């Protein structure tokens, strides 16, 4: 009897093992969410370029001769009119003296010709000489006056050559090294003596793609942004070892044609360089004002999910579940990513815990207040008031 009763009990054990109780649902993922910041911002277009001197002058002699002295320290600033070189002036001083003597001789001939003409005037009035002889005296005076004029011009040319033996700085700027030494014979207009470049202001030259140029033209047509050809649009520049755009300039020039080979157009901005820190040839990265001001939302970069075809963020819906919002992004402002479209100002964007999210996932959200992560170094970026509803939600 004991064995017969135990058999039904043993038969029931596999049935109990096959129907366990349902497991509890997984806990809601913990996430942080925040209302996006609002800013009035502009877009900036990035360029690579180099600094150039506004004035860049090769110093060449205007007369030939032997270098007599070098009168500057290499690599420092020189003032306009400062003496740089002297060429042996003795041959030109002698030529000037000779020209001055020729002028004196010619002026003496003019005086004599005037005296003879005055005497001939009295004689022709008294009919003591012929009219033909009197006219010859007049012609002699005119010839003497012309010869005196030629002698005066020759003296001016010789004096000018003598002045050219002292070579002065044509501009204020920073001078290079001397290319010749004392005793070197130099040829007029041929020999390079040195080079002077202006220091302040300095140009930042770059080339822009045709697509950017077309964008600027269309923006100017609609009034969104003035053309840099006519307006001093701002340019910010950072050097190779800098993290921030600490140099600021204004656009001064856009070329009149697009290069056929590269498909780019030349342009440059002028930058203040009072301390002379920037030098021609220095490399830099620039950003140029690329749009008019528009209202944008800012979210952290880590809140943006990117797949092969789109970018989106997760927001918390009214039912506490995650929703996807495809977005169009822009540049970084105050350390946060600009969202141009696809997001409402009052929506709570999920910032972390994105790995476990799917559309429709119920979340346990901690609402935080989003703060800028960097200084507002863009001159056209400024805060605007957030909607009251957004402020209340953030609190």
């Amino acid at each position: 009897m004991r064995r017969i009763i135990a058999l039904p009990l043993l038969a029931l054990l596999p049935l109990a093992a096959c129907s366990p109780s349902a497991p509890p649902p997984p806990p809601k993922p913990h996430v942080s969410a925040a209302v996006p910041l609002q800013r009035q911002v502009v877009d900036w277009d990035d360029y690579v370029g180099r600094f150039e001197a506004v004035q860049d002058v090769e110093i060449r002699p205007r007369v030939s001769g032997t270098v007599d002295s070098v009168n500057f320290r290499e690599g420092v600033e020189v003032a306009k009119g400062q003496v740089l070189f002297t060429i042996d002036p003795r041959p030109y001083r002698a030529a000037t003296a000779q020209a001055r003597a020729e002028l004196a001789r010619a002026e003496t001939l003019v005086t004599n010709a005037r005296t003879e003409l005055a005497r001939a005037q009295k004689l022709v009035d008294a009919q003591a000489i012929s009219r033909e002889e009197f006219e010859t005296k007049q012609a002699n005076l005119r010839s003497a006056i012309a010869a005196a004029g030629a002698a005066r011009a020759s003296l001016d040319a010789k004096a000018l050559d003598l002045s050219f033996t002292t070579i002065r700085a044509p501009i204020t700027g920073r001078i290079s090294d001397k290319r010749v030494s004392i005793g070197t014979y130099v040829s007029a207009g041929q020999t390079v003596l040195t080079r002077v470049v202006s220091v302040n202001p300095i140009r930042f030259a770059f080339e822009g793609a045709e697509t950017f140029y077309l964008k600027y033209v269309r923006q100017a047509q609609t009034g969104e942004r003035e053309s840099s050809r006519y307006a001093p649009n701002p340019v910010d520049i950072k050097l190779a070892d800098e993290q921030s755009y600490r140099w600021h300039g204004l656009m001064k020039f856009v070329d009149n044609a697009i290069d056929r080979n590269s498909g780019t157009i030349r342009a440059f901005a002028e930058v203040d360089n009072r301390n002379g820190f920037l030098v021609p040839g220095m490399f830099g990265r620039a950003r140029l004002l690329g749009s008019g001001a528009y209202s944008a939302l800012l979210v952290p970069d880590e809140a943006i999910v990117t797949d092969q075809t789109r970018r989106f963020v997760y927001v918390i819906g009214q039912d506490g579940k995650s929703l996807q919002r495809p977005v169009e992004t822009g540049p970084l402002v105050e350390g946060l990513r600009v969202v141009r479209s696809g997001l409402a100002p009052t929506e709570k964007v999920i910032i972390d815990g994105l790995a476990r999210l799917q559309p429709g996932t119920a979340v346990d959200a901690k609402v935080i207040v989003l703060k800028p992560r960097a200084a507002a170094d863009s001159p056209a970026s400024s805060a605007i008031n957030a909607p009251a509803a957004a402020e209340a939600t953030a609190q």
Side-chain angles (χ1 to χ4, degrees), residues 32-36 299 313-318 320-323 325 343-351 365-368 389-390 393-394:
S32 298
V35 175
V299 299
V313 297
Y314 283 104
V315 301
I316 301 176
Q318 296 294 334
K321 296 181 179 180
S322 61
L323 301 173
R325 291 283 188 268
L343 188 62
T346 57
E347 289 187 299
K348 290 177 285 186
V349 179
I350 299 176
I351 297 173
K366 177 184 177 182
V367 179
I368 62 174
T393 304

Side-chain angles (χ1 to χ4, degrees), residues 145-166:
I145 292 174
R152 189 173 295 106
S154 178
L155 175 60
D156 291 341
K158 300 299 182 183
L160 193 60
D161 286 345
L162 178 60
S163 69
F164 287 158
T165 60
T166 300

Side-chain angles (χ1 to χ4, degrees), residues 153-286:
S154 178
L155 175 60
D156 291 341
K158 300 299 182 183
L160 193 60
D161 286 345
L162 178 60
S163 69
F164 287 158
T165 60
T166 300
I167 300 172
R168 302 176 182 273
I171 61 171
T172 297
R174 186 171 291 151
I175 197 166
S176 182
D177 60 333
K178 64 180 185 294
R179 310 291 172 82
V180 296
S181 301
I182 296 175
T184 303
Y185 184 85
V186 295
S187 301
Q190 299 296 321
T191 309
V192 177
L193 304 178
T194 187
R195 176 186 175 201
V196 180
V197 296
S198 61
V199 176
N200 183 43
I202 193 169
R203 288 176 180 168
F204 182 79
F206 59 93
E207 295 183 354
E210 183 178 349
T211 53
F212 281 125
Y213 178 76
L214 291 173
K215 183 186 77 167
Y216 299 148
V217 171
R218 300 191 192 285
Q219 288 176 342
Q221 290 175 341
T222 59
E224 178 184 350
R225 171 191 179 276
E226 290 188 78
S227 169
S228 296
R229 195 184 300 278
Y230 307 105
N233 286 321
V235 175
D236 298 337
I237 305 165
K238 64 179 178 181
L239 305 181
D241 64 341
E242 294 176 341
Q243 299 300 319
S244 61
Y245 295 88
R246 57 166 296 200
W247 305 95
H248 308 290
L250 298 174
M251 287 297 299
K252 289 293 184 180
F253 167 77
V254 177
D255 208 350
N256 60 358
I258 293 175
D259 187 275
R260 293 183 179 182
N261 296 321
S262 64
T264 59
I265 188 167
R266 294 190 308 115
F268 64 74
E270 280 192 3
V271 182
D272 182 81
N273 190 32
R274 295 177 203 178
N275 59 4
F277 184 87
L278 303 172
V279 296
M282 188 177 286
F283 167 86
R285 294 184 179 274

Side-chain angles (χ1 to χ4, degrees), residues 15 21-22 47 52 76 91 138 194 212 303 360:
L15 296 177
S21 60
Y47 296 94
E52 296 178 350
V76 301
Q138 288 180 319
T194 187
F212 281 125

